Amino acid sequence: MKWSKVATSLCLVTMCVLPFQTASAEGDGPVDHEKRSLSLSKKEITSPAPRFAYDSGFKFEYPDAVRGVYVTGHSAGGARFESLTKLMDDTDLNAMVIDIKDDHGYVTYEPEESSPYAKVGQPYIKDPKAILKVLEEKQIYPIARVVVFKDTILANDKPELSFKDGGQVWKNGRGESFVNPFLKEVWDYNVGIAIEAAKMGFQEIQFDYVRFPEGFEKRDDELQYDGGEYASNNTDNVQKRVNAVTDFVEYAREKLKPYGVKVSVDIFGYTATLPEAPGIGQNFSKISENVDVISSMIYPSHWTPYFGIAKPDLQPYELVSEYAKLENSKLAELKNPPISRPWLQDFTASWLGSGNYKAYGKAEVEAQIKALNDQGIKEFLLWDAGNTYTEGVDYTP
């Protein structure tokens, strides 16, 4: 998730607007692990122990530290791919997060006709294997981005997997629909796409939009939807949502184990400031316990006054530094904390209005990276919706 000057209009499509980052969330108490385990056992998670891990035929080394950029399907399959690989050649950047399932619900390549995803395939990336071959030759670490529960295409194709408002598939203010995180069929649909990406040769699956629609707590009583196996759980609706989101991540990671890929999740930075975000069902600590990498979206432009910073977009170093301190303390509480690899801002948030934003360039990008480094966080990802990244940046300041 993330933005660019060129794609200011996309900012509201690509990312939602939440509290502390332009939308709303409150916290509540945690649910015990035993109940979640029971829930997962009902879903028949298997722990496959294959004698040999799946071999895609590609060989990648994990970098000293992942320093990556976001790449759309159009960019990966078009002329911009060459300029992005050159950016990797000329700098210390070494990874690409490539859309495999995008924000609409399309798969960005055309699967075989026999594939269950053939009808949602698009010819953005005409030859994924050829792209991966170039990345292998240049040792650019490939991460497949899979947008999970924001899926207008699937919601309209199968309304029973979505949320209904007056008999129609519910849409948010941007015309986007979500599918239902309570339903195992939705889980398997997305895990299947992730498995296809792993078989192609991607070394990591990054799940995005792993959540309920923003502000769901205000619509919970109005929308019609299937609670699945969670409907009978003896917990309140907040904990049902938290359980569903956490259980999906645990389930997906288990299913992907035979393919030898890392699993990462994008999460709103503000969730680390709360026990959990009850509307969207994200609990920072619970999700972090079930991934290899946690990628908080901490763009300075997405915070309202917080950490004592009145206008965060004007103070990228201070904002990222304060967030990193908080995240470090949260991760330190976990027995097996994941790698921290936050999303940083390489776009100008002019929509904030005069006096509330600044033009982001070399100094601002470097300030965010340095803030992470100063707090011991060495990995990061850069977001620009148009995939036009600032030139001349020192990515290891």
Side-chain angles (χ1 to χ4, degrees), residues 68-377:
V69 299
Y70 167 60
V71 180
T72 66
H74 288 286
S75 291
R80 182 155 296 183
F81 183 69
E82 186 175 347
S83 64
L84 289 168
T85 55
K86 187 175 188 307
L87 178 65
M88 303 277 149
D89 289 341
D90 296 343
T91 69
D92 287 316
L93 291 173
N94 55 26
M96 289 186 186
V97 179
I98 299 174
D99 275 346
I100 289 299
K101 179 176 177 242
D102 69 15
D103 293 64
H104 304 288
Y106 290 119
V107 170
T108 59
Y109 61 95
E110 293 184 298
E112 295 180 1
E113 287 185 16
S114 59
S115 167
Y117 308 105
K119 66 180 180 181
V120 297
Q122 296 292 319
Y124 306 150
I125 303 174
K126 291 183 172 55
D127 189 347
K129 288 278 190 181
I131 294 296
L132 283 160
K133 183 64 179 172
V134 172
L135 298 182
E136 180 188 44
E137 289 169 357
K138 295 177 176 291
Q139 277 302 294
I140 298 170
Y141 184 69
I143 303 169
R145 177 176 179 252
V146 175
V147 175
V148 183
F149 298 121
K150 187 174 81 164
D151 192 331
T152 304
I153 302 302
L154 181 60
N156 288 326
D157 184 51
K158 293 190 174 183
E160 69 275 14
L161 301 182
S162 185
F163 304 98
K164 295 181 183 178
D165 183 10
Q168 302 296 315
V169 172
W170 172 83
K171 296 186 291 188
N172 65 17
R174 296 179 294 280
E176 304 159 340
S177 297
F178 280 64
V179 286
N180 187 348
F182 287 130
L183 301 181
K184 171 99 173 352
E185 184 176 345
V186 172
W187 294 12
D188 286 333
Y189 179 85
N190 284 281
V191 170
I193 292 172
I195 288 173
E196 286 207 1
K199 286 181 174 179
M200 276 182 212
F202 282 92
Q203 300 297 289
E204 182 173 317
I205 307 299
Q206 182 189 91
F207 291 113
D208 200 354
Y209 285 88
V210 185
R211 59 175 180 79
F212 285 76
E214 59 271 30
F216 192 82
E217 71 277 17
K218 298 174 184 175
R219 304 183 180 91
D220 202 0
D221 296 331
E222 302 170 7
L223 299 179
Q224 298 87 51
Y225 60 91
D226 185 350
E229 295 180 8
Y230 294 88
S232 59
N233 284 11
N234 189 26
T235 56
D236 63 26
N237 286 353
V238 168
Q239 291 307 320
K240 287 175 183 176
R241 289 192 289 272
V242 169
N243 288 352
V245 168
T246 306
D247 289 349
F248 164 74
V249 175
E250 184 175 357
Y251 179 84
R253 189 187 195 189
E254 197 68 36
K255 289 292 187 181
L256 285 163
K257 277 185 179 177
Y259 303 95
V261 291
K262 291 187 181 298
V263 172
S264 57
V265 163
D266 295 335
I267 189 169
F268 283 111
Y270 83 89
T271 60
T273 73
L274 303 168
E276 56 206 18
I280 61 175
Q282 286 186 341
N283 179 302
F284 179 86
S285 297
K286 290 178 189 288
I287 291 175
S288 294
E289 285 174 332
N290 290 289
V291 294
D292 301 295
V293 180
I294 191 76
S295 288
S296 294
M297 299 171 286
I298 56 173
Y299 322 114
S301 61
H302 280 52
W303 296 78
T304 57
Y306 207 68
F307 299 120
I309 303 171
K311 297 181 177 182
D313 195 60
L314 303 183
Q315 295 181 257
Y317 179 88
E318 290 78 6
L319 185 284
V320 172
S321 181
E322 290 305 311
Y323 173 82
K325 292 174 187 175
L326 173 65
E327 184 185 270
N328 281 341
S329 67
K330 294 274 282 197
L331 292 179
E333 297 170 358
L334 304 181
K335 184 178 180 181
N336 295 301
I339 294 168
S340 172
R341 188 196 297 153
W343 279 103
L344 302 179
Q345 177 173 333
D346 193 359
F347 57 86
T348 296
S350 55
W351 60 87
L352 294 175
S354 179
N356 298 309
Y357 79 95
K358 65 192 301 185
Y360 268 53
K362 172 179 163 65
E364 290 71 27
V365 173
E366 288 180 356
Q368 294 172 85
I369 297 169
K370 187 173 189 309
L372 290 180
N373 289 349
D374 287 350
Q375 299 303 321
I377 299 174

